[in-house]
Amino acid sequence: MVGLGGCGCEWAWALVKWAALVFALVLLYVLHVMVLKPYLFYRKYKQYPNVKSRESFLPILGDIKEHVDCMKNNGAHYVYMKNRADEFNKYDLRAKLDGVDPNIMIQSNKALEEFVSMQGTKIDKIDTTVGPSAVILKSIITNQSSPEVMRRKKSMLSWLALNSASRYILDMIKCIERVCNDMKNRKEADLIHEMNVFTFDVFSDILFGDDVKELVTKLYPYENPDGTTEMIELREILIRLLKAYMNHIFHPLCYVFTFIKEMGLVNPFKRDTKNRNTFKKAIFDIVKNSKEQKTAYHIFNDPIADEETKLDEVCAILVAGSETTSHSLVACCYFLNKYPDTLKKLRQELQENGLGKGANFAEACTMEKIQSLTYLNCCVKEALRCDIVLAQSFSYSPKEDIQICNVPIPKGTQIRIDLVSSHFDSDKWLDEYEFIPERHDLESEYFAKLKQSGKKPETYSRRSFSHGMRKCPGQTFAMLEMKVAIAYIVTHLDLKFKEEDLQNENIGFGLGSHLSPIVEVQEL
């Protein structure tokens, strides 16, 4: 019995030693990922004079502190990139730590030009599973530039191009009319939500046939953070789902013990995976039950792509098409309310071109007419400059060791484009913090003043839709959709933002912003 007891003690002691060893290894791994790796990244790039880094290394939080500080001051999480634009624009690159996640940010136009020249050969997208891209893992938006991905992109561009997109103008008008009537009847509106409804409805009309409208508007189960299950429409699921996946970016388990997130072992990942699967199954059922040959039908008839890829492609159109344009529409409405003289000038242009109050809007709103409205086009462009929907691009990575602006970047390093700071570069823009649509009109007096000042924005100074072979494929469609919607809104409604919102210089409506304005709605 004594021998057996001694043997048991030895086994227990051995187990304790192994447990201690495993604990030590896990601790070392956590310290490496959360402290050592970020610190070595920080120290490496701190030595380059053309790379912007934090003044001092901040473990765990890194540059997320800037985002948090912005939100504490009732600003959009990315507004520090706007307020510190002159500081950032002095550098070619920025060494940024999103918590413990190292990123090289492309800052200068020169750096962006070099970056674009290497796209597809030495630099490509990363198949990331963090953030909203996790909803559409196999779509052309997130996948690397293989011949198959570029084939599918070419197919998508065929119906997103201007001539193809023009046939959806009546769909756009019908959807914005429905949303505006609803806002008018209620006298006030959560504008971001209403614009989400508009853009989702536009794309669901384009993607799906009328024979499955019942499935599109059907109520589906959605699990809330408090554990309750709510029955809501698909468009509401998409809105909440993307917000939930945006929050993943700031969750430490996305960077440490990533298998917990990947396998959905704990909340919020378990819950969000369940909601994502509900959304994607609903979209799959809608496509399979529709007999009309709409866009989704043609995507699913692709003889080469597999079912999962085709489903992600349809979901990607809804994600990228609806959620991005809706936020830009809110920004445009905000600036038009803040600058009443600009709104008056826009309404005058629309009135003079047969799109005023009382006109047959659907009949007058042709492709040719919309494209000829110079000031409307300038207002949309200026809104996209002043408040961009995405503060930084999707992630890229070098396929080999490279240099950008003589700064070495090893293979596998995460690279993103700063899409905000260049829009407020005082060396390129005059009155850069003011909403002045005339800056985009080559015939305007303001543009002449801009030329006399010696300030001239370059191609890469405008980054609303990014650049290169992987820039936003829906740029043409988004511009058309925004112009149709803004033209209808300003000729039918008077939207009044709260004075505190109009006076908030740090406000912003891009993806991930916690600011959601409630506006007063009056009929014109």
Side-chain angles (χ1 to χ4, degrees), residues 508-524:
F509 309 105
L511 283 177
S513 175
H514 67 293
L515 303 169
S516 187
I518 304 298
V519 299
E520 179 186 334
V521 183
Q522 296 178 353
E523 184 178 10
L524 284 177

Side-chain angles (χ1 to χ4, degrees), residues 330-340 342 382-383 386-387 435:
V330 174
C332 193
C333 290
Y334 171 82
F335 287 116
L336 290 172
N337 191 189
K338 187 170 183 174
Y339 294 84
T342 300
E382 183 68 346
C386 290
D387 188 27
F435 182 80

Side-chain angles (χ1 to χ4, degrees), residues 178 200-201 204-205 208-210 212-220 231-236 282 286:
R178 186 165 60 240
F200 182 91
D201 286 355
S204 63
D205 282 355
F208 313 123
D210 291 333
V212 289
K213 286 294 182 186
E214 186 177 334
L215 290 176
V216 175
T217 57
K218 175 184 172 182
L219 300 183
Y220 295 87
M231 301 299 292
I232 56 178
E233 291 188 19
L234 274 179
R235 62 190 177 198
E236 185 64 30
I286 289 169

Side-chain angles (χ1 to χ4, degrees), residues 495-506:
L495 304 179
K496 296 291 185 184
F497 285 73
K498 293 179 180 178
E499 190 61 30
E500 62 194 68
D501 290 333
L502 294 175
Q503 296 301 320
N504 184 358
E505 296 297 328
N506 292 324

